[in-house]
Amino acid sequence: MTYRTIHCPYCGLELQVPENVDHVVCMYCAKPIDLKALFTPTAAEPDGGEKLQSALAALEPALFHFENGEPSFTKKDYPDYFADYSSRLGVPLEALRGVQAEDCHAFAQALMSRIADELSIRHIRSSHNSAFFSYRLMLTVYLLPSLHDSQVPEAAAVMDEFLKIWNSKYPKEPLNAVGYDCINNGWRKRACYITTAVCGSLHKPDNCRELQTLRAFRDNWLCHQPAGPLAIQEYYAFAPAITAKIDASPAPEAVYRSLWETVIFPCVQDAQAGRSNTCFRRYAQMMLRLEKEYLS
């Protein structure tokens, strides 16, 4: 019996299938595959899915690992690591040039399937633990900016489809479209904090009690937690862009006043009362909401 190599149109993983059969079930995602229909030209796939197959074949498993410190997300390493990551993801994206919406959706599904497999391998079953938070951050600073900045027109459709799939599965931990420049500029403007902007809008000095309390919370508790360093990095990366968007909005003082009343002052109270986990959750939820509102 002779076999041919295909990639599952649902999860994107490689399969060896017999030449003389028309239907198989993917051994990874357990979905049935009509092999005859898979390679038959249609209005949606005039090439019979060949470009999608090439793109899936070029999708490196390493693009989803994010382990052993590589790729890194630090001020020093991020530009070089991002350039390498974006270049490697660019290979399958180039293979998608000229495909229809159906193939962009299938490729986005394959991205999500690879991520789900990686989370399973790592035994990350809950979106509430630090390991999930760390993985989500890596997707935010590597996968999404690579899609966002790609010169391949179809990459935008892939990103849109991927965000729909992710945000449907994880509505409380949404991902948003953001480009490399937005993230990298955050490192260069590290002194720009949302809390500082909020307190400044209320005419509070830089050494006010509230800022001192939250800085002490960051330095004495948060940076020592498993998810702490990455949470701080995420804040440094995205806060400048968020505050810039708020400052350019029609009523920035109203936005900052609302943040003070609903998040910042309650966080100060939490930190002063020793409710550190509550303080962190409250602030992390604020960041997720602001990223979705101002960086999408």
Side-chain angles (χ1 to χ4, degrees):
M1 181 179 295
T2 57
Y3 293 82
R4 58 175 166 166
T5 301
I6 71 163
H7 285 78
C8 174
Y10 304 104
C11 69
L13 294 177
E14 182 178 297
L15 300 171
Q16 298 294 321
V17 300
E19 287 277 7
N20 60 345
V21 300
D22 292 331
H23 297 83
V24 296
V25 174
C26 177
M27 63 183 291
Y28 301 105
C29 66
K31 291 187 177 180
I33 303 172
D34 183 335
L35 295 173
K36 186 175 181 180
L38 183 62
F39 296 105
T40 299
T42 64
E45 287 187 314
D47 69 331
E50 291 292 344
K51 289 183 178 180
L52 174 61
Q53 287 289 307
S54 296
L56 294 174
L59 197 57
E60 299 177 31
L63 291 168
F64 305 93
H65 287 342
F66 302 124
E67 59 188 0
N68 300 324
E70 295 185 9
S72 176
F73 184 48
T74 64
K75 181 179 181 180
K76 174 179 178 292
D77 296 331
Y78 181 54
D80 289 340
Y81 276 106
F82 177 80
D84 177 68
Y85 185 94
S86 181
S87 176
R88 289 188 290 134
L89 183 62
V91 176
L93 292 180
E94 281 291 339
L96 289 175
R97 281 188 182 273
V99 303
Q100 304 298 310
E102 180 178 315
D103 285 340
C104 292
H105 177 74
F107 191 80
Q109 284 185 314
L111 293 179
M112 190 65 192
S113 180
R114 298 290 182 91
I115 291 167
D117 288 344
E118 188 66 23
L119 293 175
S120 177
I121 291 170
R122 297 186 185 201
H123 305 291
I124 301 175
R125 298 182 177 86
S126 170
S127 61
H128 302 296
N129 64 31
S130 60
F132 181 89
F133 180 90
S134 300
Y135 195 84
R136 176 190 169 276
L137 177 58
M138 293 297 100
L139 295 176
T140 300
V141 300
Y142 284 103
L143 176 65
L144 289 175
S146 296
L147 292 171
H148 181 279
D149 294 354
S150 174
Q151 298 302 304
V152 177
E154 291 73 18
V158 171
M159 182 177 65
D160 290 343
E161 290 297 322
F162 174 76
L163 290 174
K164 289 177 185 177
I165 297 169
W166 175 280
N167 293 340
S168 175
K169 184 175 178 62
Y170 299 110
K172 294 184 178 180
E173 295 83 19
L175 289 172
N176 308 285
V178 61
Y180 166 80
D181 286 341
C182 175
I183 296 172
N184 195 49
N185 287 344
W187 293 115
R188 298 200 296 268
K189 302 175 183 177
R190 183 168 173 154
C192 182
Y193 304 104
I194 293 173
T195 307
T196 302
V198 170
C199 290
S201 73
L202 300 175
H203 308 293
K204 294 179 178 290
D206 189 63
N207 63 346
C208 67
R209 176 178 59 87
E210 292 84 358
L211 281 170
Q212 289 182 335
T213 297
L214 292 180
R215 285 168 181 160
F217 166 77
R218 176 195 64 196
D219 296 337
N220 299 330
W221 185 84
L222 182 56
C223 68
H224 300 295
Q225 304 307 303
L230 282 174
I232 294 169
Q233 288 177 338
E234 179 183 38
Y235 181 71
Y236 288 152
F238 299 137
I242 291 171
T243 55
K245 290 290 184 69
I246 294 174
D247 289 341
S249 67
E253 290 190 356
V255 176
Y256 288 135
R257 167 62 70 173
S258 176
L259 290 175
W260 168 261
E261 293 175 350
T262 61
V263 181
I264 304 301
F265 187 64
C267 278
V268 171
Q269 293 178 311
D270 289 335
Q272 290 176 331
R275 298 188 294 267
S276 299
N277 284 306
T278 301
C279 180
F280 175 53
R281 285 196 299 270
R282 194 189 301 274
Y283 211 97
Q285 289 169 358
M286 177 195 73
M287 285 298 297
L288 287 173
R289 179 169 60 82
L290 293 178
E291 287 172 29
K292 184 175 183 180
E293 183 172 356
Y294 291 101
L295 299 183
S296 296

